Amino acid sequence: MAGSMSGTSSVSTTLLRNVPLLSVLSEEEIALLTRVVSRKSYARGSLILGAGDPTDSLYILISGRIKVFMSDLEGKEVILAILEPNEFVGEMGLIDNSPRSANVVALEACELVCISKPDFKRCLADNFDMAMTVMRGLVKRLREADNQIGSLALMDVFGRVARLLLETAEVINGEKVVTRKLSKQDIARMIGASREMVSRVMKHLQSAGYIEVRGDTIIIRENILPPD
Amino acid sequence: MARPASVSTTLLHNVPLFAGLDEAQLSVLVRVIVRKSFGRNAKIIGAGDPTDSLYIIIDGRVKVMLSDEHGREVILSILGRGEFFGEMGLLDDSPRSASVVTLEPCELLSISKGDFKRSLAENFDLSLMVMRGLVKRLREADGKIGSLALMDVYGRVARLLLEIAEDVDGEKVVVKKLSKQDIAKMIGASREMVSRVMKDLQLGGYIEVRGRSIVLRENILLAD
């Protein structure tokens, strides 16, 4: 899980313009950023940020998926978030100057754009809309974290799996469908349960008709919460 | 339970959230901020309520909590003097996600959504303070998720005590009064289990109870 296989390449104005976080910046600011940001590639499984590292940059995901997680001394993991393209990570340390609190690992081959602390802070100070985007991003993560705490403290594993599926699902043709690839191991680490328990719960939800598995996707029935 | 009172710039000067603002900016805020008193156990915000205000604590403590349909509670955080709440809904326009209830009599300042957003747009320092507040809460929430998913009740009690302890004369001391019931609700365990764990920690020499405060020993994180 070392940070090997990473490469750096140049960045175009079009690439930055298409990132929602940066879309509010002026032409001049975007042009300035293209000269100071770097684009990095990571292979599947490589460590992008490690807990305890000093904080020097903000990372914006251009392609691929990354997981943000904590682990204990025995290597047991809990996944705090799985991020998709256009989401960003690393802003917390830039705002409060603390070291990284979690690890970030590439779930598949990834490309990230990396902005240094001073460049990020200057953009933020000059653009209220960007500050608002960062604040809304923090609020979204805090709401998800609060829900995760609620389900860890109050729900059994059935409830936690059901809540996670509902949270991950998109509405397609009037049906709630989970299209994001999520392994049972990932689900287990997101809800603080064992992989075996998640397998058993998913099998039960399927045989009781709460979910239907169609190829790589999962269709969720109306009555899934509360199944217990 | 609430009665409004007047607000001075001196009072606002002492609010950390407004630390970056100058006299002129504070004098604008003085006209739009309202001061309210609440008794113990008063509900300030209910989950599902529409969001209309940001609140800043001048005195007293509040608990931020979620509950399920059976009335079981989990406390997300306990906030005290100088801290603020209610900003999440003002930023993302969603209804309140949690309830906020006073733990003791409280003095609060409140500012309406419109006035708050205007101040934010005009003062980058205020935005930065709000971001720092959100990051602090997010780090605490992530820590709590880690301990709920990875630790047993011993580890969770130890982590919570370390988190709320203050340095007093070189010792880590928990001075804030926290009932066993509140601790239970903060770590997702029963009150009975928390009692048993606290007793074990005391017998094992990991903590020492002195009157109303708890002194933590160096080795507390090895407790489990």
Side-chain angles (χ1 to χ4, degrees):
Chain A
M1 300 245 283
S4 57
M5 301 290 290
S6 72
T8 304
S9 60
S10 71
V11 174
S12 70
T13 49
T14 322
L15 179 78
L16 297 185
R17 173 70 58 215
N18 287 330
V19 173
L21 176 66
L22 306 176
S23 62
V24 296
L25 301 182
S26 68
E27 288 300 332
E28 295 77 30
E29 284 166 320
I30 291 275
L32 190 67
L33 272 186
T34 56
R35 292 198 291 274
V36 293
V37 303
S38 55
R39 181 174 177 163
K40 292 181 178 171
S41 317
Y42 292 89
R44 179 168 184 272
S46 53
L47 181 67
I48 299 168
L49 298 173
D53 287 358
T55 47
D56 51 0
S57 306
L58 172 85
Y59 292 82
I60 302 170
L61 188 57
I62 300 298
S63 66
R65 289 188 313 148
I66 57 181
K67 67 171 174 178
V68 183
F69 68 99
M70 294 192 289
S71 54
D72 66 10
L73 296 174
E74 284 107 52
K76 203 175 143 201
E77 281 180 18
V78 54
I79 296 180
L80 298 172
I82 291 182
L83 303 183
E84 309 235 313
N86 287 327
E87 295 190 283
F88 48 90
V89 68
E91 78 288 7
M92 288 166 68
L94 302 195
I95 291 168
D96 71 359
N97 302 317
S98 297
R100 306 293 184 193
S101 53
N103 303 293
V104 179
V105 162
L107 279 176
E108 48 199 59
C110 282
E111 287 206 288
L112 293 102
V113 164
C114 170
I115 305 179
S116 78
K117 187 169 184 161
D119 291 322
F120 169 68
K121 286 206 153 170
R122 185 174 35 74
C123 289
L124 215 52
D126 292 343
N127 298 279
F128 175 65
D129 288 335
M130 185 170 162
M132 272 304 278
T133 307
V134 170
M135 283 188 264
R136 290 207 184 99
L138 290 169
V139 168
K140 176 169 175 275
R141 298 249 304 279
L142 194 47
R143 284 193 193 281
E144 287 166 0
D146 286 349
N147 282 334
Q148 202 168 345
I149 292 169
S151 77
L152 280 169
L154 299 174
M155 290 180 180
D156 61 13
V157 179
F158 276 90
R160 293 184 214 166
V161 171
R163 193 194 61 88
L164 179 70
L165 292 177
L166 277 173
E167 207 178 75
T168 329
E170 301 156 56
V171 178
I172 298 174
N173 298 328
E175 286 185 315
K176 290 201 177 73
V177 185
V178 178
T179 53
R180 280 169 63 166
K181 254 190 313 186
L182 272 182
S183 70
K184 294 204 173 65
Q185 184 63 268
D186 284 341
I187 294 177
R189 287 174 180 161
M190 292 173 89
I191 65 167
S194 68
R195 201 187 58 77
E196 295 68 31
M197 187 65 190
V198 169
S199 282
R200 210 178 322 150
V201 166
M202 296 280 284
K203 209 165 280 173
H204 175 88
L205 289 173
Q206 206 176 336
S207 62
Y210 293 117
I211 62 174
E212 184 189 325
V213 179
R214 278 190 213 151
D216 273 348
T217 64
I218 302 170
I219 323 282
I220 303 174
R221 299 282 163 234
E222 287 304 321
N223 51 358
I224 189 166
L225 261 187
D228 52 335
Chain B
M1 292 290 289
R3 59 181 166 81
S6 74
V7 173
S8 67
T9 47
T10 322
L11 180 72
L12 297 191
H13 249 307
N14 294 321
V15 172
L17 181 61
F18 300 137
L21 307 190
D22 60 29
E23 284 301 326
Q25 291 165 328
L26 288 180
S27 62
V28 174
L29 282 179
V30 158
R31 293 198 289 274
V32 297
I33 285 185
V34 182
R35 180 172 178 160
K36 291 176 181 171
S37 309
F38 292 88
R40 183 169 179 274
N41 237 343
K43 185 183 260 192
I44 299 164
I45 286 179
D49 288 356
T51 47
D52 53 358
S53 303
L54 168 87
Y55 296 88
I56 301 156
I57 304 173
I58 297 298
D59 203 17
R61 290 186 308 154
V62 303
K63 61 175 175 180
V64 182
M65 58 179 221
L66 300 174
S67 51
D68 67 9
E69 63 271 36
H70 310 294
R72 286 195 307 159
E73 286 178 10
V74 53
I75 296 179
L76 297 173
S77 52
I78 290 183
L79 304 176
R81 186 180 300 190
E83 297 188 282
F84 56 90
F85 58 91
E87 78 290 358
M88 289 167 67
L90 303 197
L91 292 168
D92 72 359
D93 298 308
S94 299
R96 303 295 188 188
S97 52
S99 300
V100 180
V101 173
T102 58
L103 284 171
E104 49 199 58
C106 282
E107 292 279 315
L108 303 179
L109 297 179
S110 83
I111 176 167
S112 76
K113 185 172 186 157
D115 292 321
F116 170 68
K117 285 200 155 175
R118 200 166 317 119
S119 307
L120 218 50
E122 287 164 5
N123 306 288
F124 176 66
D125 287 332
L126 185 60
S127 298
L128 205 54
M129 292 305 284
V130 169
M131 280 185 235
R132 290 209 178 110
L134 289 169
V135 167
K136 178 169 176 278
R137 299 247 304 277
L138 194 46
R139 285 194 192 279
E140 287 167 1
D142 286 348
K144 200 170 265 199
I145 290 168
S147 78
L148 280 167
L150 301 175
M151 291 179 180
D152 61 13
V153 179
Y154 279 88
R156 291 185 217 166
V157 170
R159 196 192 66 90
L160 177 69
L161 292 177
L162 274 172
E163 198 179 85
I164 60 176
E166 295 162 43
D167 272 314
V168 180
D169 300 329
E171 288 186 314
K172 286 203 166 61
V173 184
V174 177
V175 287
K176 282 192 211 171
K177 219 175 39 172
L178 266 186
S179 69
K180 296 207 173 64
Q181 184 64 267
D182 282 341
I183 292 177
K185 287 173 183 171
M186 291 175 88
I187 64 165
S190 68
R191 200 186 58 73
E192 293 70 28
M193 186 65 190
V194 169
S195 283
R196 207 178 323 150
V197 167
M198 297 279 284
K199 209 165 283 173
D200 281 355
L201 288 174
Q202 210 175 331
L203 284 174
Y206 298 111
I207 63 175
E208 185 190 326
V209 178
R210 279 189 212 151
R212 276 145 62 104
S213 56
I214 302 171
V215 183
L216 311 187
R217 297 282 161 234
E218 289 301 321
N219 54 1
I220 185 161
L221 262 192
L222 306 170
D224 54 331

